[in-house]
Amino acid sequence: MYAVQIERLTKIYGSGATEVVALADATFDVAPGELVAILGPSGSGKTTLLTTIGLVTEPTRGRVVLDGELIVDNGWPPGLDLKRVRREKLGFIFQHHNLIPFLTTVENVMIALENNGVSTKEARARSMELLESLGLSQRLDHYPSLLSGGESQRTAIARALANRPRIILADEPTAALDTENGKNVMRLLKALAVENDSAILVVTHDHRMVEGFDRIFEVSDGRIVGERRNGSDNA
Amino acid sequence: MNLALRDIRHHRSRFIQTCLGLGLLLGVVMSMSGIYRGLFTDATAILTATAADLWVVQQDTSGPFAATSRLPEDVKYRIRAVPGVAQASALSFQNIQSDRNGKPFRFFLVGYELGGLGGPPVIVAGRPIRQKHYEMVVDRAMRLPLGAKLRLADDDYTVVGHTAKMVSSAGDPVAYVTLADAQKIQFQDDDNAIRNNRARLAEQISRLPFLAPAQAGQLAPQVAAIVGSTHIVNTVVARLAPGADLAEVQARINRWNHFRPLAVQDQERILTEGMIKKAKMQLGLFRAILLVISGVIISLIIYTMTLDKLRVIATLKLIGTRNRVIVGLILEQSLLMGLIAYAVGYTLIGLTHDKFPRRVDLVPVDLVSLFVIVLVICVAASLVGIRKAMRVEPAEALGN
Ligand SMILES: Nc1ncnc2c1ncn2[C@@H]1O[C@H](COP(=O)(O)OP(=O)(O)O)[C@@H](O)[C@H]1O
Ligand SMILES: [Mg+2]
């Protein structure tokens, strides 16, 4: 069973003269534990691809199957609890880490667990453990404003991982970091894909960041224009 | 984990400042209600303290508070004789303005019969008046210590006791002396005028053509005595015997044709609807405006608080946080703010209302309704914020 299947996924913003085809007929599958990069210049539709998969942007057409559950079939079915699917199956990481500014590091991770009904006490214990494994044991009670870029991103990763989601979606997670920290974050994501058997989709426009990925999709003008496996060119 | 409390903890000082500011505002609203109530209590303080059923005043006047009323003291004997009247006493009222340390010093002097109605209701320090002359009970607000002497109409009066919060309908502190003293004070200044009047009367009478000089000589002092009598009072108050019919007593006094027997309710109406009506409307309007302003400010603060959090709310939605939690974040915070602000305002007014120059009456019904209004405003403002929050798309968390 695939972790992610998309079929002819299309997103058109606006209509008539202002119409923008942000994503056109994207089709691919991602297996559990697979580490996939989506590479393309700015404005090529990478974020749109990720957010339609992540149930944040409603696609105009096409299908999304997450973890075997058909979620999207030409638009969101009415009555579907998107939040439930997001909190149970998905973890998000963004360029701007999007931590909650009034929660400490450990609380930022706890909230994801509590969203899924984990008790505060257990959530705290598990979050601390997770953060410690990411090297943040000295930062547990800091507010996000006091964290470095790398620390913030690692906290966001911990939050995305807390519920052991089947699918992790990361949009330019290294863009706000220097090369060194960026590579560290990518290494971390790779290790997690293996360890948790999660499918990880990482969007980036930086070629240097994608070495060691299982598959790389190249996106241009909303279309998938190339696919490489383990560095080999299959386009 | 409670998000509302976490957010407050993070913005501790801002939250505290907001609560303090709102607290001050609510304190002003409370004091305004208190002043509004106090105006009524003050206006009717003497009326209430006298606890009479009937206020007999000069015919065709609405005295003794709202208009001048003069009637001979001995009317009290006639009133006492009316069936159904248990007790009747004469009272004299006058405003006195004198100088103290170069500053004008106003008070309201009540003359009452020892043992009769209308004396000081409660003595908070010292003792009541016991001597027929030259003793005085004053309100604390006059700042005359026990034993102090006050010179009135060429006599020294000794302060023997204090009352608390006894003021005239104009808000001036009240002083009590015996009726005889009060009459002396009231007419002392007129001594010269009385002498002149007598001389003029005697001359006019002596010139009456139908009177023999001897007759004129006998008549003049008697007429002068009636005209110049100092046995004048401003009202005679009466208490009825249990079961007596007020209307019947009033009807009987009305038949005498010289006096107006006002029931205590009439007197209350004269005081509140006549004398303080404008002031009350002014205060009432001001109180309403303040309440509206507070409402607008509270709503704005809560709404801005929510707007500040839209990005956080988008992120929370993105990571699948339930709406219940997001609603709680907004609602709990604004309710807490309302509660704390109310407590701040209440504490503030509780500590200071005694120090206001005029009475501030904190009435439970006012306090409770303000509390409810504050809660309603908080909830209503939250609902507007919540509506906004519910419309936020999780995608907004991604905007750079
Ligand atoms: N909410 C939106 N409304 C209209 N156009 C949009 C919106 N979001 C993205 N677009 C357009 O869709 C295209 C793809 O955008 P995006 O997916 O953000 O690209 P990338 O992430 O690769 O930079 C761009 O032309 C962008 O202007
Ligand atoms: Mg993008």
Side-chain angles (χ1 to χ4, degrees), chain A residues 51 56 83 86-87 94 96 98 107 115 143, chain B residues 6 9 315 317-318 320-323 397-398:
Chain A
T51 54
V56 173
K83 276 191 185 172
R86 281 206 296 273
R87 69 178 170 253
F94 307 97
H96 296 276
N98 287 72
E107 289 164 351
N115 278 345
Y143 284 109
Chain B
R6 303 290 146 145
R9 182 191 60 186
T315 306
K317 285 188 167 185
L318 188 72
T321 308
R322 287 174 175 82
N323 284 341
L398 309 177

mmCIF file with all atom_site columns, all heavy atoms in Angstrom, chain A residues 51 56 83 86-87 94 96 98 107 115 143, chain B residues 6 9 315 317-318 320-323 397-398:
data_model
loop_
_atom_site.group_PDB
_atom_site.id
_atom_site.type_symbol
_atom_site.label_atom_id
_atom_site.label_alt_id
_atom_site.label_comp_id
_atom_site.label_asym_id
_atom_site.label_entity_id
_atom_site.label_seq_id
_atom_site.pdbx_PDB_ins_code
_atom_site.Cartn_x
_atom_site.Cartn_y
_atom_site.Cartn_z
_atom_site.occupancy
_atom_site.B_iso_or_equiv
_atom_site.pdbx_formal_charge
_atom_site.auth_seq_id
_atom_site.auth_comp_id
_atom_site.auth_asym_id
_atom_site.auth_atom_id
_atom_site.pdbx_PDB_model_num
ATOM 1   N N   . THR A 1 51  ? 0.573   21.376 -0.620 1.00 0.00 ? 51  THR A N   1
ATOM 2   C CA  . THR A 1 51  ? -0.603  21.722 0.191  1.00 0.00 ? 51  THR A CA  1
ATOM 3   C C   . THR A 1 51  ? -1.870  21.030 -0.317 1.00 0.00 ? 51  THR A C   1
ATOM 4   O O   . THR A 1 51  ? -2.794  20.815 0.470  1.00 0.00 ? 51  THR A O   1
ATOM 5   C CB  . THR A 1 51  ? -0.821  23.246 0.251  1.00 0.00 ? 51  THR A CB  1
ATOM 6   O OG1 . THR A 1 51  ? -0.888  23.759 -1.082 1.00 0.00 ? 51  THR A OG1 1
ATOM 7   C CG2 . THR A 1 51  ? 0.291   23.934 1.007  1.00 0.00 ? 51  THR A CG2 1
ATOM 8   N N   . VAL A 1 56  ? -4.635  21.163 2.621  1.00 0.00 ? 56  VAL A N   1
ATOM 9   C CA  . VAL A 1 56  ? -4.700  22.561 3.018  1.00 0.00 ? 56  VAL A CA  1
ATOM 10  C C   . VAL A 1 56  ? -5.281  23.378 1.863  1.00 0.00 ? 56  VAL A C   1
ATOM 11  O O   . VAL A 1 56  ? -6.033  24.318 2.068  1.00 0.00 ? 56  VAL A O   1
ATOM 12  C CB  . VAL A 1 56  ? -3.299  23.087 3.398  1.00 0.00 ? 56  VAL A CB  1
ATOM 13  C CG1 . VAL A 1 56  ? -3.331  24.582 3.648  1.00 0.00 ? 56  VAL A CG1 1
ATOM 14  C CG2 . VAL A 1 56  ? -2.797  22.345 4.639  1.00 0.00 ? 56  VAL A CG2 1
ATOM 15  N N   . LYS A 1 83  ? -9.313  18.051 9.376  1.00 0.00 ? 83  LYS A N   1
ATOM 16  C CA  . LYS A 1 83  ? -8.409  18.205 10.512 1.00 0.00 ? 83  LYS A CA  1
ATOM 17  C C   . LYS A 1 83  ? -8.036  16.853 11.105 1.00 0.00 ? 83  LYS A C   1
ATOM 18  O O   . LYS A 1 83  ? -6.905  16.642 11.513 1.00 0.00 ? 83  LYS A O   1
ATOM 19  C CB  . LYS A 1 83  ? -9.077  19.042 11.603 1.00 0.00 ? 83  LYS A CB  1
ATOM 20  C CG  . LYS A 1 83  ? -8.943  20.517 11.398 1.00 0.00 ? 83  LYS A CG  1
ATOM 21  C CD  . LYS A 1 83  ? -9.403  21.179 12.663 1.00 0.00 ? 83  LYS A CD  1
ATOM 22  C CE  . LYS A 1 83  ? -9.421  22.675 12.506 1.00 0.00 ? 83  LYS A CE  1
ATOM 23  N NZ  . LYS A 1 83  ? -10.049 23.277 13.683 1.00 0.00 ? 83  LYS A NZ  1
ATOM 24  N N   . ARG A 1 86  ? -5.499  15.342 8.953  1.00 0.00 ? 86  ARG A N   1
ATOM 25  C CA  . ARG A 1 86  ? -4.222  16.038 9.112  1.00 0.00 ? 86  ARG A CA  1
ATOM 26  C C   . ARG A 1 86  ? -3.528  15.640 10.398 1.00 0.00 ? 86  ARG A C   1
ATOM 27  O O   . ARG A 1 86  ? -2.334  15.376 10.430 1.00 0.00 ? 86  ARG A O   1
ATOM 28  C CB  . ARG A 1 86  ? -4.435  17.557 9.089  1.00 0.00 ? 86  ARG A CB  1
ATOM 29  C CG  . ARG A 1 86  ? -4.606  18.120 7.687  1.00 0.00 ? 86  ARG A CG  1
ATOM 30  C CD  . ARG A 1 86  ? -4.178  19.584 7.615  1.00 0.00 ? 86  ARG A CD  1
ATOM 31  N NE  . ARG A 1 86  ? -4.997  20.459 8.423  1.00 0.00 ? 86  ARG A NE  1
ATOM 32  C CZ  . ARG A 1 86  ? -6.123  21.015 8.005  1.00 0.00 ? 86  ARG A CZ  1
ATOM 33  N NH1 . ARG A 1 86  ? -6.555  20.798 6.776  1.00 0.00 ? 86  ARG A NH1 1
ATOM 34  N NH2 . ARG A 1 86  ? -6.805  21.809 8.801  1.00 0.00 ? 86  ARG A NH2 1
ATOM 35  N N   . ARG A 1 87  ? -4.303  15.606 11.488 1.00 0.00 ? 87  ARG A N   1
ATOM 36  C CA  . ARG A 1 87  ? -3.601  15.330 12.738 1.00 0.00 ? 87  ARG A CA  1
ATOM 37  C C   . ARG A 1 87  ? -3.246  13.861 12.896 1.00 0.00 ? 87  ARG A C   1
ATOM 38  O O   . ARG A 1 87  ? -2.291  13.528 13.588 1.00 0.00 ? 87  ARG A O   1
ATOM 39  C CB  . ARG A 1 87  ? -4.362  15.885 13.941 1.00 0.00 ? 87  ARG A CB  1
ATOM 40  C CG  . ARG A 1 87  ? -5.649  15.222 14.288 1.00 0.00 ? 87  ARG A CG  1
ATOM 41  C CD  . ARG A 1 87  ? -6.297  15.834 15.528 1.00 0.00 ? 87  ARG A CD  1
ATOM 42  N NE  . ARG A 1 87  ? -7.639  15.293 15.648 1.00 0.00 ? 87  ARG A NE  1
ATOM 43  C CZ  . ARG A 1 87  ? -8.745  15.972 15.394 1.00 0.00 ? 87  ARG A CZ  1
ATOM 44  N NH1 . ARG A 1 87  ? -8.684  17.223 15.054 1.00 0.00 ? 87  ARG A NH1 1
ATOM 45  N NH2 . ARG A 1 87  ? -9.921  15.395 15.488 1.00 0.00 ? 87  ARG A NH2 1
ATOM 46  N N   . PHE A 1 94  ? 7.669   23.666 7.686  1.00 0.00 ? 94  PHE A N   1
ATOM 47  C CA  . PHE A 1 94  ? 7.693   24.772 6.721  1.00 0.00 ? 94  PHE A CA  1
ATOM 48  C C   . PHE A 1 94  ? 8.991   25.544 6.783  1.00 0.00 ? 94  PHE A C   1
ATOM 49  O O   . PHE A 1 94  ? 9.756   25.446 7.737  1.00 0.00 ? 94  PHE A O   1
ATOM 50  C CB  . PHE A 1 94  ? 6.542   25.734 6.995  1.00 0.00 ? 94  PHE A CB  1
ATOM 51  C CG  . PHE A 1 94  ? 5.243   25.039 7.045  1.00 0.00 ? 94  PHE A CG  1
ATOM 52  C CD1 . PHE A 1 94  ? 4.680   24.667 8.251  1.00 0.00 ? 94  PHE A CD1 1
ATOM 53  C CD2 . PHE A 1 94  ? 4.608   24.688 5.876  1.00 0.00 ? 94  PHE A CD2 1
ATOM 54  C CE1 . PHE A 1 94  ? 3.493   23.983 8.283  1.00 0.00 ? 94  PHE A CE1 1
ATOM 55  C CE2 . PHE A 1 94  ? 3.419   24.010 5.907  1.00 0.00 ? 94  PHE A CE2 1
ATOM 56  C CZ  . PHE A 1 94  ? 2.860   23.647 7.118  1.00 0.00 ? 94  PHE A CZ  1
ATOM 57  N N   . HIS A 1 96  ? 9.227   28.785 7.205  1.00 0.00 ? 96  HIS A N   1
ATOM 58  C CA  . HIS A 1 96  ? 9.148   29.535 8.452  1.00 0.00 ? 96  HIS A CA  1
ATOM 59  C C   . HIS A 1 96  ? 8.473   28.594 9.426  1.00 0.00 ? 96  HIS A C   1
ATOM 60  O O   . HIS A 1 96  ? 7.303   28.292 9.298  1.00 0.00 ? 96  HIS A O   1
ATOM 61  C CB  . HIS A 1 96  ? 8.356   30.817 8.255  1.00 0.00 ? 96  HIS A CB  1
ATOM 62  C CG  . HIS A 1 96  ? 9.050   31.723 7.302  1.00 0.00 ? 96  HIS A CG  1
ATOM 63  N ND1 . HIS A 1 96  ? 10.048  32.564 7.687  1.00 0.00 ? 96  HIS A ND1 1
ATOM 64  C CD2 . HIS A 1 96  ? 8.947   31.855 5.958  1.00 0.00 ? 96  HIS A CD2 1
ATOM 65  C CE1 . HIS A 1 96  ? 10.513  33.201 6.632  1.00 0.00 ? 96  HIS A CE1 1
ATOM 66  N NE2 . HIS A 1 96  ? 9.862   32.785 5.566  1.00 0.00 ? 96  HIS A NE2 1
ATOM 67  N N   . ASN A 1 98  ? 6.833   28.174 11.821 1.00 0.00 ? 98  ASN A N   1
ATOM 68  C CA  . ASN A 1 98  ? 5.453   28.213 12.306 1.00 0.00 ? 98  ASN A CA  1
ATOM 69  C C   . ASN A 1 98  ? 5.273   27.607 13.687 1.00 0.00 ? 98  ASN A C   1
ATOM 70  O O   . ASN A 1 98  ? 4.292   26.922 13.947 1.00 0.00 ? 98  ASN A O   1
ATOM 71  C CB  . ASN A 1 98  ? 4.506   27.499 11.348 1.00 0.00 ? 98  ASN A CB  1
ATOM 72  C CG  . ASN A 1 98  ? 4.300   28.307 10.106 1.00 0.00 ? 98  ASN A CG  1
ATOM 73  O OD1 . ASN A 1 98  ? 5.203   28.404 9.294  1.00 0.00 ? 98  ASN A OD1 1
ATOM 74  N ND2 . ASN A 1 98  ? 3.156   28.918 9.980  1.00 0.00 ? 98  ASN A ND2 1
ATOM 75  N N   . GLU A 1 107 ? 6.286   22.589 24.774 1.00 0.00 ? 107 GLU A N   1
ATOM 76  C CA  . GLU A 1 107 ? 4.830   22.736 24.609 1.00 0.00 ? 107 GLU A CA  1
ATOM 77  C C   . GLU A 1 107 ? 4.428   22.741 23.137 1.00 0.00 ? 107 GLU A C   1
ATOM 78  O O   . GLU A 1 107 ? 3.343   22.272 22.773 1.00 0.00 ? 107 GLU A O   1
ATOM 79  C CB  . GLU A 1 107 ? 4.350   24.022 25.293 1.00 0.00 ? 107 GLU A CB  1
ATOM 80  C CG  . GLU A 1 107 ? 4.387   23.934 26.815 1.00 0.00 ? 107 GLU A CG  1
ATOM 81  C CD  . GLU A 1 107 ? 4.289   25.285 27.497 1.00 0.00 ? 107 GLU A CD  1
ATOM 82  O OE1 . GLU A 1 107 ? 4.367   26.332 26.802 1.00 0.00 ? 107 GLU A OE1 1
ATOM 83  O OE2 . GLU A 1 107 ? 4.152   25.305 28.723 1.00 0.00 ? 107 GLU A OE2 1
ATOM 84  N N   . ASN A 1 115 ? -3.498  17.187 20.577 1.00 0.00 ? 115 ASN A N   1
ATOM 85  C CA  . ASN A 1 115 ? -4.498  17.215 19.511 1.00 0.00 ? 115 ASN A CA  1
ATOM 86  C C   . ASN A 1 115 ? -5.043  15.819 19.240 1.00 0.00 ? 115 ASN A C   1
ATOM 87  O O   . ASN A 1 115 ? -6.188  15.657 18.839 1.00 0.00 ? 115 ASN A O   1
ATOM 88  C CB  . ASN A 1 115 ? -3.882  17.755 18.221 1.00 0.00 ? 115 ASN A CB  1
ATOM 89  C CG  . ASN A 1 115 ? -3.832  19.273 18.215 1.00 0.00 ? 115 ASN A CG  1
ATOM 90  O OD1 . ASN A 1 115 ? -4.491  19.918 19.018 1.00 0.00 ? 115 ASN A OD1 1
ATOM 91  N ND2 . ASN A 1 115 ? -3.031  19.826 17.316 1.00 0.00 ? 115 ASN A ND2 1
ATOM 92  N N   . TYR A 1 143 ? 11.224  29.972 24.690 1.00 0.00 ? 143 TYR A N   1
ATOM 93  C CA  . TYR A 1 143 ? 10.220  30.381 23.715 1.00 0.00 ? 143 TYR A CA  1
ATOM 94  C C   . TYR A 1 143 ? 10.873  30.410 22.334 1.00 0.00 ? 143 TYR A C   1
ATOM 95  O O   . TYR A 1 143 ? 12.086  30.620 22.219 1.00 0.00 ? 143 TYR A O   1
ATOM 96  C CB  . TYR A 1 143 ? 9.657   31.758 24.062 1.00 0.00 ? 143 TYR A CB  1
ATOM 97  C CG  . TYR A 1 143 ? 8.678   31.713 25.208 1.00 0.00 ? 143 TYR A CG  1
ATOM 98  C CD1 . TYR A 1 143 ? 9.005   32.238 26.447 1.00 0.00 ? 143 TYR A CD1 1
ATOM 99  C CD2 . TYR A 1 143 ? 7.431   31.125 25.038 1.00 0.00 ? 143 TYR A CD2 1
ATOM 100 C CE1 . TYR A 1 143 ? 8.104   32.178 27.504 1.00 0.00 ? 143 TYR A CE1 1
ATOM 101 C CE2 . TYR A 1 143 ? 6.527   31.065 26.084 1.00 0.00 ? 143 TYR A CE2 1
ATOM 102 C CZ  . TYR A 1 143 ? 6.868   31.589 27.312 1.00 0.00 ? 143 TYR A CZ  1
ATOM 103 O OH  . TYR A 1 143 ? 5.972   31.529 28.348 1.00 0.00 ? 143 TYR A OH  1
ATOM 104 N N   . ARG B 2 6   ? -1.414  29.899 28.611 1.00 0.00 ? 6   ARG B N   1
ATOM 105 C CA  . ARG B 2 6   ? -0.038  29.975 28.085 1.00 0.00 ? 6   ARG B CA  1
ATOM 106 C C   . ARG B 2 6   ? 0.190   31.307 27.384 1.00 0.00 ? 6   ARG B C   1
ATOM 107 O O   . ARG B 2 6   ? 1.222   31.929 27.527 1.00 0.00 ? 6   ARG B O   1
ATOM 108 C CB  . ARG B 2 6   ? 0.223   28.854 27.074 1.00 0.00 ? 6   ARG B CB  1
ATOM 109 C CG  . ARG B 2 6   ? 0.003   27.461 27.598 1.00 0.00 ? 6   ARG B CG  1
ATOM 110 C CD  . ARG B 2 6   ? 1.058   27.063 28.593 1.00 0.00 ? 6   ARG B CD  1
ATOM 111 N NE  . ARG B 2 6   ? 0.405   26.202 29.563 1.00 0.00 ? 6   ARG B NE  1
ATOM 112 C CZ  . ARG B 2 6   ? 0.971   25.179 30.156 1.00 0.00 ? 6   ARG B CZ  1
ATOM 113 N NH1 . ARG B 2 6   ? 2.231   24.890 29.921 1.00 0.00 ? 6   ARG B NH1 1
ATOM 114 N NH2 . ARG B 2 6   ? 0.303   24.456 31.010 1.00 0.00 ? 6   ARG B NH2 1
ATOM 115 N N   . ARG B 2 9   ? 0.519   33.982 29.925 1.00 0.00 ? 9   ARG B N   1
ATOM 116 C CA  . ARG B 2 9   ? 1.807   33.874 30.600 1.00 0.00 ? 9   ARG B CA  1
ATOM 117 C C   . ARG B 2 9   ? 2.893   34.504 29.743 1.00 0.00 ? 9   ARG B C   1
ATOM 118 O O   . ARG B 2 9   ? 3.775   35.212 30.224 1.00 0.00 ? 9   ARG B O   1
ATOM 119 C CB  . ARG B 2 9   ? 2.112   32.391 30.841 1.00 0.00 ? 9   ARG B CB  1
ATOM 120 C CG  . ARG B 2 9   ? 3.410   32.121 31.573 1.00 0.00 ? 9   ARG B CG  1
ATOM 121 C CD  . ARG B 2 9   ? 3.764   30.647 31.518 1.00 0.00 ? 9   ARG B CD  1
ATOM 122 N NE  . ARG B 2 9   ? 3.922   30.201 30.136 1.00 0.00 ? 9   ARG B NE  1
ATOM 123 C CZ  . ARG B 2 9   ? 4.126   28.939 29.761 1.00 0.00 ? 9   ARG B CZ  1
ATOM 124 N NH1 . ARG B 2 9   ? 4.172   27.992 30.662 1.00 0.00 ? 9   ARG B NH1 1
ATOM 125 N NH2 . ARG B 2 9   ? 4.267   28.625 28.491 1.00 0.00 ? 9   ARG B NH2 1
ATOM 126 N N   . THR B 2 315 ? -1.988  28.139 12.084 1.00 0.00 ? 315 THR B N   1
ATOM 127 C CA  . THR B 2 315 ? -1.039  27.049 12.353 1.00 0.00 ? 315 THR B CA  1
ATOM 128 C C   . THR B 2 315 ? -1.717  25.940 13.156 1.00 0.00 ? 315 THR B C   1
ATOM 129 O O   . THR B 2 315 ? -1.551  24.757 12.857 1.00 0.00 ? 315 THR B O   1
ATOM 130 C CB  . THR B 2 315 ? 0.182   27.583 13.122 1.00 0.00 ? 315 THR B CB  1
ATOM 131 O OG1 . THR B 2 315 ? 0.731   28.674 12.401 1.00 0.00 ? 315 THR B OG1 1
ATOM 132 C CG2 . THR B 2 315 ? 1.229   26.496 13.306 1.00 0.00 ? 315 THR B CG2 1
ATOM 133 N N   . LYS B 2 317 ? -4.809  25.183 13.206 1.00 0.00 ? 317 LYS B N   1
ATOM 134 C CA  . LYS B 2 317 ? -5.710  24.439 12.328 1.00 0.00 ? 317 LYS B CA  1
ATOM 135 C C   . LYS B 2 317 ? -4.921  23.498 11.437 1.00 0.00 ? 317 LYS B C   1
ATOM 136 O O   . LYS B 2 317 ? -5.333  22.367 11.181 1.00 0.00 ? 317 LYS B O   1
ATOM 137 C CB  . LYS B 2 317 ? -6.496  25.415 11.455 1.00 0.00 ? 317 LYS B CB  1
ATOM 138 C CG  . LYS B 2 317 ? -7.582  26.141 12.196 1.00 0.00 ? 317 LYS B CG  1
ATOM 139 C CD  . LYS B 2 317 ? -8.416  26.925 11.223 1.00 0.00 ? 317 LYS B CD  1
ATOM 140 C CE  . LYS B 2 317 ? -9.685  27.410 11.890 1.00 0.00 ? 317 LYS B CE  1
ATOM 141 N NZ  . LYS B 2 317 ? -10.563 28.076 10.920 1.00 0.00 ? 317 LYS B NZ  1
ATOM 142 N N   . LEU B 2 318 ? -3.803  23.983 10.961 1.00 0.00 ? 318 LEU B N   1
ATOM 143 C CA  . LEU B 2 318 ? -2.973  23.183 10.068 1.00 0.00 ? 318 LEU B CA  1
ATOM 144 C C   . LEU B 2 318 ? -2.536  21.885 10.746 1.00 0.00 ? 318 LEU B C   1
ATOM 145 O O   . LEU B 2 318 ? -2.542  20.820 10.128 1.00 0.00 ? 318 LEU B O   1
ATOM 146 C CB  . LEU B 2 318 ? -1.740  24.002 9.666  1.00 0.00 ? 318 LEU B CB  1
ATOM 147 C CG  . LEU B 2 318 ? -0.879  23.389 8.589  1.00 0.00 ? 318 LEU B CG  1
ATOM 148 C CD1 . LEU B 2 318 ? -1.593  23.482 7.257  1.00 0.00 ? 318 LEU B CD1 1
ATOM 149 C CD2 . LEU B 2 318 ? 0.451   24.110 8.513  1.00 0.00 ? 318 LEU B CD2 1
ATOM 150 N N   . GLY B 2 320 ? -4.116  20.397 12.900 1.00 0.00 ? 320 GLY B N   1
ATOM 151 C CA  . GLY B 2 320 ? -5.275  19.585 13.246 1.00 0.00 ? 320 GLY B CA  1
ATOM 152 C C   . GLY B 2 320 ? -5.884  19.859 14.597 1.00 0.00 ? 320 GLY B C   1
ATOM 153 O O   . GLY B 2 320 ? -6.634  19.035 15.114 1.00 0.00 ? 320 GLY B O   1
ATOM 154 N N   . THR B 2 321 ? -5.581  21.015 15.198 1.00 0.00 ? 321 THR B N   1
ATOM 155 C CA  . THR B 2 321 ? -6.170  21.335 16.496 1.00 0.00 ? 321 THR B CA  1
ATOM 156 C C   . THR B 2 321 ? -7.680  21.485 16.353 1.00 0.00 ? 321 THR B C   1
ATOM 157 O O   . THR B 2 321 ? -8.162  22.107 15.416 1.00 0.00 ? 321 THR B O   1
ATOM 158 C CB  . THR B 2 321 ? -5.568  22.645 17.039 1.00 0.00 ? 321 THR B CB  1
ATOM 159 O OG1 . THR B 2 321 ? -4.150  22.525 17.000 1.00 0.00 ? 321 THR B OG1 1
ATOM 160 C CG2 . THR B 2 321 ? -6.019  22.902 18.461 1.00 0.00 ? 321 THR B CG2 1
ATOM 161 N N   . ARG B 2 322 ? -8.407  20.925 17.293 1.00 0.00 ? 322 ARG B N   1
ATOM 162 C CA  . ARG B 2 322 ? -9.862  20.982 17.231 1.00 0.00 ? 322 ARG B CA  1
ATOM 163 C C   . ARG B 2 322 ? -10.358 22.407 17.458 1.00 0.00 ? 322 ARG B C   1
ATOM 164 O O   . ARG B 2 322 ? -9.766  23.177 18.205 1.00 0.00 ? 322 ARG B O   1
ATOM 165 C CB  . ARG B 2 322 ? -10.466 20.059 18.295 1.00 0.00 ? 322 ARG B CB  1
ATOM 166 C CG  . ARG B 2 322 ? -10.319 18.594 17.958 1.00 0.00 ? 322 ARG B CG  1
ATOM 167 C CD  . ARG B 2 322 ? -10.818 17.737 19.121 1.00 0.00 ? 322 ARG B CD  1
ATOM 168 N NE  . ARG B 2 322 ? -10.788 16.325 18.764 1.00 0.00 ? 322 ARG B NE  1
ATOM 169 C CZ  . ARG B 2 322 ? -9.705  15.574 18.826 1.00 0.00 ? 322 ARG B CZ  1
ATOM 170 N NH1 . ARG B 2 322 ? -8.555  16.102 19.220 1.00 0.00 ? 322 ARG B NH1 1
ATOM 171 N NH2 . ARG B 2 322 ? -9.756  14.306 18.483 1.00 0.00 ? 322 ARG B NH2 1
ATOM 172 N N   . ASN B 2 323 ? -11.505 22.713 16.862 1.00 0.00 ? 323 ASN B N   1
ATOM 173 C CA  . ASN B 2 323 ? -12.100 24.051 16.994 1.00 0.00 ? 323 ASN B CA  1
ATOM 174 C C   . ASN B 2 323 ? -12.380 24.407 18.448 1.00 0.00 ? 323 ASN B C   1
ATOM 175 O O   . ASN B 2 323 ? -12.236 25.546 18.862 1.00 0.00 ? 323 ASN B O   1
ATOM 176 C CB  . ASN B 2 323 ? -13.396 24.134 16.198 1.00 0.00 ? 323 ASN B CB  1
ATOM 177 C CG  . ASN B 2 323 ? -13.123 24.271 14.716 1.00 0.00 ? 323 ASN B CG  1
ATOM 178 O OD1 . ASN B 2 323 ? -12.014 24.642 14.314 1.00 0.00 ? 323 ASN B OD1 1
ATOM 179 N ND2 . ASN B 2 323 ? -14.108 23.961 13.901 1.00 0.00 ? 323 ASN B ND2 1
ATOM 180 N N   . ALA B 2 397 ? -1.240  29.912 7.355  1.00 0.00 ? 397 ALA B N   1
ATOM 181 C CA  . ALA B 2 397 ? -0.048  29.695 8.162  1.00 0.00 ? 397 ALA B CA  1
ATOM 182 C C   . ALA B 2 397 ? 1.194   29.606 7.291  1.00 0.00 ? 397 ALA B C   1
ATOM 183 O O   . ALA B 2 397 ? 2.314   29.761 7.760  1.00 0.00 ? 397 ALA B O   1
ATOM 184 C CB  . ALA B 2 397 ? -0.206  28.416 8.974  1.00 0.00 ? 397 ALA B CB  1
ATOM 185 N N   . LEU B 2 398 ? 0.973   29.356 6.003  1.00 0.00 ? 398 LEU B N   1
ATOM 186 C CA  . LEU B 2 398 ? 2.114   29.141 5.116  1.00 0.00 ? 398 LEU B CA  1
ATOM 187 C C   . LEU B 2 398 ? 2.614   30.434 4.499  1.00 0.00 ? 398 LEU B C   1
ATOM 188 O O   . LEU B 2 398 ? 3.731   30.512 4.044  1.00 0.00 ? 398 LEU B O   1
ATOM 189 C CB  . LEU B 2 398 ? 1.722   28.187 3.980  1.00 0.00 ? 398 LEU B CB  1
ATOM 190 C CG  . LEU B 2 398 ? 1.063   26.898 4.443  1.00 0.00 ? 398 LEU B CG  1
ATOM 191 C CD1 . LEU B 2 398 ? 0.652   26.055 3.259  1.00 0.00 ? 398 LEU B CD1 1
ATOM 192 C CD2 . LEU B 2 398 ? 2.013   26.128 5.342  1.00 0.00 ? 398 LEU B CD2 1
#
